[in-house]
Amino acid sequence: MKTLKTFVTIFAVLFLISCTSARVHNIEGGVLPTTMQGYPYQLHKVRSAIVRACQTRGWNPSIQRDGSIIATINVRSHYAKVHITYNRRSVNIRYMDSRNLKHANGKIHRNYNRWVNKLYHTINDQLTR
């Protein structure tokens, strides 16, 4: 009976540990809203919305020479870095690097995916303001 109890406990712990990771989620071709007239926003407005969304969500944006944006976030001891590319109609948010988020074999701590999804939705919100 004691062996069974030990086995169940170990299995439960391993199951809970595995639940904290998920596949790295990149936003590819995330659709951006249009103006009230149905036209895409101007490129500088998209860039400004991304920068404001990053700042709102605690990311530190850095505009690159090629027009893309590198954004980093530090939450307690966790760190993530993404590469954001965009045009008038869509945005891409791609994983670049992380620390203390258990990144391995295409998986990462599920909080990373939450941060990226919230960033994407905040970009959309910023454009429609």
Side-chain angles (χ1 to χ4, degrees), residues 96-111:
M96 287 184 75
D97 191 20
S98 64
R99 283 192 301 273
N100 296 329
L101 288 173
K102 302 176 186 174
H103 179 255
N105 302 321
K107 293 194 172 193
I108 197 163
H109 194 283
R110 64 182 176 203
N111 283 349

Side-chain angles (χ1 to χ4, degrees), residues 9-105:
T9 302
I10 291 172
F11 179 78
V13 168
L14 290 175
F15 178 76
L16 290 174
I17 290 171
S18 69
C19 289
T20 63
S21 66
R23 289 189 118 17
V24 172
H25 178 65
N26 290 316
I27 306 289
E28 298 288 343
V31 178
L32 295 175
T34 58
T35 65
M36 292 180 79
Q37 295 79 21
Y39 298 110
Y41 284 92
Q42 295 175 352
L43 201 56
H44 73 278
K45 290 192 184 261
V46 174
R47 180 180 50 248
S48 294
I50 293 169
V51 169
R52 284 192 316 272
C54 285
Q55 293 166 340
T56 298
R57 287 286 169 194
W59 292 81
N60 298 307
S62 172
I63 298 171
Q64 304 300 296
R65 289 183 191 184
D66 64 359
S68 66
I69 297 172
I70 302 292
T72 60
I73 190 168
N74 288 290
V75 179
R76 295 177 298 280
S77 65
H78 307 294
Y79 165 85
K81 181 178 182 181
V82 295
H83 184 225
I84 305 171
T85 56
Y86 55 93
N87 58 43
R88 294 179 65 198
R89 299 181 190 281
S90 66
V91 65
N92 302 301
I93 305 172
R94 295 183 186 103
Y95 172 87
M96 287 184 75
D97 191 20
S98 64
R99 283 192 301 273
N100 296 329
L101 288 173
K102 302 176 186 174
H103 179 255
N105 302 321

